[in-house]
Amino acid sequence: MDETFTLLPLHLDPSSKAISAPSDSTDRSLATELTSLNQLHRSLLTLDNPSQVPPPPLPLNPKRTAQIQKMREQGNSVFRKGTPGAAHEAIKLYTFGLEMALGRPGWEPAAIVRDETSLLYANRAQAHMSIQAWPEGAVDAETSVEMKRVGNAKAWYRRGKCLVEMGRWEEAGEW
C-alpha cells in the first residue's frame, strides 16, 4: 500500500475558526471537505448550550445485575434444601453467576463487580465446605476476602475453617 503525506497550506481564521485553503488551490475534494467541516463547526456552535456536556450513558446494565442476583438467590435456595447433590447444583449456579459478573464490560464500575463476586465466592466456598472440598473452599473464601476485605467476616471464617480442616494449623492461625 503506497500512501504519501502531503502537507497542505491550510489557514485558520482566528475570529470565526473557519478553515480555508489558499485561493490558488484547485483541489475540489479538499474544498468540499473543508466546506462540510466548516458547516459542522457552525452547526455545533448554534446548539442551545454548547458548553454543557451531556450525561454519560447508563454505566450499569440493570438486567445483568438482576440476572447475577437471581443466580445467587437460586444457588442459596438450592443449597438450603440440603438434598443429595444440592451443594453441587448450588456450586454450578454460583459459578454461572461468577462468570456473568466477571464478564461485565470494562466501563461498568469495578466496585459492583467486586461486591457481586465477593458474595458469590463466599457462597460457593460454603457449598464446597458442605461437601468437604476443603481446598476449593479455601481458595474461594480467600478470593472473596481479596475482593472485599472489610465487612466480609463469613469469608474470613470460611478460609480459616478450611485451613484447619486441611491440617494447616499455623497458616490458619496467621489467617
Side-chain angles (χ1 to χ4, degrees):
M1 180 176 220
D2 188 26
E3 293 185 25
T4 57
F5 173 77
T6 306
L7 180 62
L8 300 173
L10 300 178
H11 175 69
L12 177 67
D13 183 8
S15 60
S16 68
K17 305 293 189 226
I19 301 174
S20 61
S23 58
D24 61 347
S25 176
T26 58
D27 190 0
R28 291 187 54 88
S29 64
L30 175 62
T32 306
E33 289 292 324
L34 289 177
T35 302
S36 64
L37 181 64
N38 288 327
Q39 285 175 345
L40 174 63
H41 179 256
R42 282 190 301 277
S43 66
L44 288 173
L45 289 176
T46 61
L47 292 176
D48 291 338
N49 194 354
S51 64
Q52 183 179 3
V53 177
L58 186 63
L60 189 64
N61 184 345
K63 289 182 182 179
R64 184 181 294 250
T65 301
Q67 290 172 337
I68 293 168
Q69 181 70 20
K70 184 178 178 183
M71 285 294 112
R72 191 172 69 85
E73 289 170 358
Q74 284 180 346
N76 290 346
S77 66
V78 166
F79 183 72
R80 281 190 206 108
K81 288 181 183 176
T83 59
H88 292 289
E89 183 63 28
I91 290 170
K92 287 179 188 176
L93 290 168
Y94 296 140
T95 302
F96 187 61
L98 280 165
E99 289 170 358
M100 291 171 61
L102 294 172
R104 282 188 180 276
W107 63 80
E108 292 188 350
I112 300 295
V113 176
R114 281 194 305 271
D115 288 344
E116 290 172 344
T117 55
S118 174
L119 290 170
L120 289 162
Y121 276 119
N123 290 359
R124 194 169 76 171
Q126 178 63 36
H128 281 302
M129 290 170 66
S130 72
I131 57 173
Q132 297 182 354
W134 307 115
E136 292 85 356
V139 169
D140 280 352
E142 183 177 9
T143 305
S144 177
V145 167
E146 290 300 318
M147 293 290 174
K148 184 178 176 186
R149 288 191 166 278
V150 178
N152 199 359
K154 288 181 181 180
W156 284 93
Y157 167 77
R158 290 172 183 161
R159 168 78 171 155
K161 174 77 172 160
C162 288
L163 291 172
V164 166
E165 292 295 332
M166 290 188 293
R168 295 164 59 180
W169 300 100
E170 288 181 25
E171 192 176 347
E174 293 170 3
W175 181 256

